[in-house]
Amino acid sequence: MSETTASAASSASGASVAPVASASPSAVVAESATARGRRARIALRALQVALALFFGAASALPKLIAHSSATEIFADIGWGNAGMYIVGVLELAGAVALLMPRLQSVAAMSLGVLMVGAFLTQLMVFDGQNAATPVILLVPLALIAWARRGQNAELTLMLRREG
């Protein structure tokens, strides 16, 4: 990056940056870190959308329309239709909240708690059959909760102001 380009970039972004020589390795690292950060944010957002679609369409919808596969599972668990509808509503609410900026971290943590419950249920009731699915879903949910953890402070401040 030439001195002219560096000064133009710093004046465009509003930051004061000292001119950097064109062969400076720190300029390349700074540019790549910014590009890497942007790609990471896009990838995280894509992951959130994919999980929201999964929880909303593939997981909550069969429970909310009382599909036979969901009713059989909840009958085996012993929760019946009421438990099925409650879990379906919680999954749908979590899916929607994953797409809302201030609620993303809380939604990921809440869905993570549901996945821990699903894992334990799979182990205790179904002898571990399909127990890997909730664990696999727990990993990206934990990543989202950690990456968006700063939003928890914003949400707390907002709730304190309103309350």
Side-chain angles (χ1 to χ4, degrees):
M1 183 188 298
S2 68
E3 289 182 29
T4 308
T5 310
S7 62
S10 66
S11 64
S13 66
S16 61
V17 177
V20 180
S22 60
S24 172
S26 64
V28 174
V29 171
E31 288 174 339
S32 63
T34 303
R36 240 181 310 173
R38 183 172 185 271
R39 285 193 299 268
R41 285 191 305 275
I42 291 169
L44 187 64
R45 189 65 175 162
L47 181 62
Q48 287 174 235
V49 170
L51 284 172
L53 286 172
F54 171 78
F55 278 107
S59 191
L61 188 61
K63 294 173 182 81
L64 295 175
I65 64 171
H67 190 269
S68 61
S69 62
T71 55
E72 290 171 8
I73 290 171
F74 279 87
D76 291 345
I77 295 171
W79 288 10
N81 287 342
M84 177 182 65
Y85 289 127
I86 290 170
V87 171
V89 167
L90 291 173
E91 287 177 340
L92 184 61
V96 170
L98 270 177
L99 302 175
M100 299 175 77
R102 288 218 171 122
L103 298 177
Q104 294 167 348
S105 180
V106 173
M109 289 187 286
S110 301
L111 288 170
V113 169
L114 276 176
M115 291 302 98
V116 169
F119 173 73
L120 294 174
T121 302
Q122 293 291 337
L123 285 180
M124 291 187 229
V125 177
F126 299 107
D127 298 323
Q129 183 181 5
N130 299 322
T133 303
V135 174
I136 291 168
L137 290 169
L138 191 57
V139 171
L141 288 170
L143 174 68
I144 292 167
W146 181 81
R148 305 289 192 201
R149 68 192 179 278
Q151 295 169 347
N152 293 337
E154 293 175 22
L155 183 62
T156 303
L157 288 173
M158 184 183 78
L159 292 174
R160 283 184 184 164
R161 278 187 230 133
E162 291 179 5

